[in-house]
């Protein structure tokens, strides 16, 4: 397997799965760190206070979607619902 196949392989499978298109697109944006977070707005020159809604860290893609304590609680809730019989 080449380097490009390793990167593109999972995405090819994701686009084929039976998931709503908006979920696929959002997942792709998050993985590419392309979501319009406060961090991105600051880079574009907007004058804002960059704080996540947890008020603990700056709002970046990594923090907002992976490390924020509120997001982690939401992920646990979603995963527990999806595993119920």
């Amino acid at each position: 397997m080449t380097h490009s196949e390793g990167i593109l392989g999972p995405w090819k499978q994701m686009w084929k799965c039976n998931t709503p298109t908006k979920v696929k697109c959002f997942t792709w944006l998050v993985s590419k760190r392309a979501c319009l977070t406060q961090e991105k707005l600051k880079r574009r020159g907007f004058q804002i206070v960059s704080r996540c809604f947890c008020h603990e860290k700056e709002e970046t893609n990594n923090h907002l979607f992976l490390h924020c304590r509120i997001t982690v609680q939401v992920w646990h809730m979603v995963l527990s619902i999806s595993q119920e019989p």
Side-chain angles (χ1 to χ4, degrees), residues 46-59:
F46 288 86
Q47 298 295 320
I48 57 173
V49 176
S50 182
R51 279 294 201 222
C52 180
F53 50 81
C54 70
H55 302 287
E56 295 174 5
K57 298 260 184 167
E58 182 178 25
E59 185 185 276

Side-chain angles (χ1 to χ4, degrees), residues 10-25 27:
W11 292 113
K12 287 181 181 180
Q13 294 300 318
M14 185 191 75
W15 293 113
K16 292 178 184 177
C17 71
N18 190 20
T19 305
T21 302
K22 61 184 173 184
V23 172
K24 294 175 190 176
C25 291
T27 303

Side-chain angles (χ1 to χ4, degrees), residues 5-82:
E5 288 173 340
I7 293 170
L8 296 176
W11 292 113
K12 287 181 181 180
Q13 294 300 318
M14 185 191 75
W15 293 113
K16 292 178 184 177
C17 71
N18 190 20
T19 305
T21 302
K22 61 184 173 184
V23 172
K24 294 175 190 176
C25 291
F26 181 70
T27 303
W28 186 82
L29 285 172
V30 170
S31 72
K32 297 293 185 183
R33 296 182 182 144
C35 292
L36 194 57
T37 60
Q38 293 174 2
E39 170 192 36
K40 298 262 188 209
L41 291 172
K42 281 176 56 177
R43 284 189 199 161
R44 293 180 182 184
F46 288 86
Q47 298 295 320
I48 57 173
V49 176
S50 182
R51 279 294 201 222
C52 180
F53 50 81
C54 70
H55 302 287
E56 295 174 5
K57 298 260 184 167
E58 182 178 25
E59 185 185 276
T60 64
N61 271 293
N62 278 343
H63 175 73
L64 185 60
F65 297 109
L66 297 175
H67 303 293
C68 173
R69 64 180 170 81
I70 297 170
T71 304
V72 169
Q73 290 174 355
V74 171
W75 283 121
H76 284 294
M77 183 178 66
V78 167
L79 291 173
S80 68
I81 290 171
S82 67

